[in-house]
């Protein structure tokens, strides 16, 4: 079983739609969590950290459920520029990052 | 540009050749990480350094792979006797301060390796 599991998609949604991505992790001792965004053939970039209380950044909302070892990302009012791969990431105790396979999002006009 | 840089950006080589990649982290960052990403997968951890000390290596890092960070600044990753399965994007990331659960790792643009 992979340490971080995501639905690879692709998710094809129209502009303006709301889309949600889910992720599960296997190590219950994990302490910190992130969503990274990766554009085609580019490096991953931090989209947002995920805190226990949940957090929001503009159109993006991240939630963490420690009991279920589940992380989610909600994107509201999707834009064409949101098209990318979204990587669910868990931090280890040595700060090495453990990535899911990524969920591909394609927003169409 | 004060971000993480990697060189070369692209490398095409023939099977059996040796290749070396370089990573220059953000100057004040003491931790440096190497990851490998194959098509359709997320990045996978290879190894990391704190200053010049290599503190952890993944099982993915076979004995054909060696990494160094001789002066605690830039790092090199060498692959000897390359195989087609080594074809991937090799990403470097740096982390500053004492680490900590929500410190951001900054990634370089990666070196894309193609082994023919």
């Amino acid at each position: 079983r992979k340490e971080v599991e995501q639905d690879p998609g692709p998710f094809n949604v129209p502009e303006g739609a709301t889309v949600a991505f889910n992720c599960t992790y296997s190590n219950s001792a994990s302490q910190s969590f992130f969503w990274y965004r990766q554009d085609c053939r580019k490096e991953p970039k931090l989209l947002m950290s995920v805190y226990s209380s949940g957090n929001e950044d503009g159109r993006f909302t991240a939630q963490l459920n420690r009991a279920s070892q589940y992380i989610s990302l909600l994107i509201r009012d999707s834009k064409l520029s949101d098209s990318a791969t979204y990587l669910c990431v868990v931090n280890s105790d040595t700060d090495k990052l453990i990535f899911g396979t990524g969920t591909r999002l394609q927003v169409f006009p | 540009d004060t971000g993480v840089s990697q060189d070369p950006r692209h490398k095409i080589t023939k099977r059996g050749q040796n290749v070396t990649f370089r990573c220059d982290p953000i100057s004040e960052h003491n931790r440096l990480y190497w990851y490998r990403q194959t098509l359709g997968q997320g990045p996978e951890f290879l190894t990391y350094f704190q200053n010049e000390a290599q503190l952890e290596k993944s099982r993915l890092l076979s004995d054909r792979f060696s990494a160094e960070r001789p002066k605690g600044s830039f790092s090199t990753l060498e692959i000897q006797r390359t195989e087609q399965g080594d074809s991937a994007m090799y990403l470097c990331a740096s982390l500053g301060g004492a680490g900590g659960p929500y410190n951001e790792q900054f990634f370089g643009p990666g070196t894309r390796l193609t082994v023919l």
Side-chain angles (χ1 to χ4, degrees):
Chain A
R1 184 186 170 194
K2 288 196 171 194
E3 290 189 69
V4 180
E5 299 217 43
Q6 293 182 251
D7 179 346
F11 284 59
N12 296 306
V13 302
E15 274 187 290
T18 296
V19 61
F21 305 139
N22 303 316
C23 164
T24 57
Y25 61 95
S26 61
N27 185 353
S28 60
S30 299
Q31 293 296 311
S32 52
F33 312 89
F34 308 91
W35 285 100
Y36 273 70
R37 171 190 168 132
Q38 187 171 30
D39 293 296
C40 189
R41 303 180 79 82
K42 300 280 192 179
E43 73 273 24
K45 292 188 177 174
L46 180 65
L47 177 67
M48 61 195 300
S49 303
V50 186
Y51 302 116
S52 296
S53 53
N55 47 297
E56 189 174 303
D57 182 2
R59 298 182 293 108
F60 299 85
T61 301
Q63 297 277 354
L64 169 65
N65 183 323
R66 285 188 184 272
S68 303
Q69 295 176 209
Y70 172 94
I71 306 162
S72 66
L73 176 68
L74 185 77
I75 305 176
R76 291 182 299 278
D77 189 23
S78 298
K79 312 289 184 193
L80 294 175
S81 57
D82 294 333
S83 298
T85 295
Y86 291 83
L87 296 157
C88 177
V89 185
V90 175
N91 202 354
S92 74
D93 55 0
T94 56
D95 289 327
K96 74 182 182 204
L97 300 180
I98 303 165
F99 289 82
T101 55
T103 299
R104 196 153 63 89
L105 172 66
Q106 183 66 50
V107 182
F108 58 88
Chain B
D1 186 354
T2 55
V4 179
S5 61
Q6 292 187 245
D7 184 68
R9 297 289 303 277
H10 303 274
K11 179 71 177 179
I12 300 173
T13 192
K14 291 183 179 178
R15 190 161 46 98
Q17 299 294 304
N18 299 344
V19 294
T20 300
F21 310 142
R22 175 178 170 129
C23 171
D24 286 87
I26 294 170
S27 59
E28 64 270 24
H29 283 186
N30 58 0
R31 291 198 193 190
L32 186 151
Y33 296 78
W34 285 99
Y35 297 86
R36 181 175 73 183
Q37 187 174 23
T38 54
L39 202 61
Q41 301 297 315
E44 295 173 290
F45 169 77
L46 292 178
T47 188
Y48 95 95
F49 294 83
Q50 180 154 327
N51 300 313
E52 66 276 9
Q54 188 173 18
L55 296 185
E56 188 175 346
K57 292 194 284 188
S58 160
R59 288 172 299 164
L60 292 176
L61 215 66
S62 76
D63 56 8
R64 296 185 298 106
F65 288 69
S66 62
E68 293 183 342
R69 195 182 183 200
K71 297 181 181 177
S73 56
F74 72 91
S75 176
T76 57
L77 178 68
E78 180 183 16
I79 310 174
Q80 296 183 326
R81 305 181 303 282
T82 52
E83 301 173 355
Q84 287 181 323
D86 297 332
S87 296
M89 173 84 95
Y90 290 83
L91 292 158
C92 174
S94 73
L95 177 66
Y102 284 103
N103 278 16
E104 180 180 353
Q105 282 190 30
F106 293 87
F107 282 83
T111 295
R112 186 171 295 280
L113 173 67
T114 302
V115 182
L116 302 176

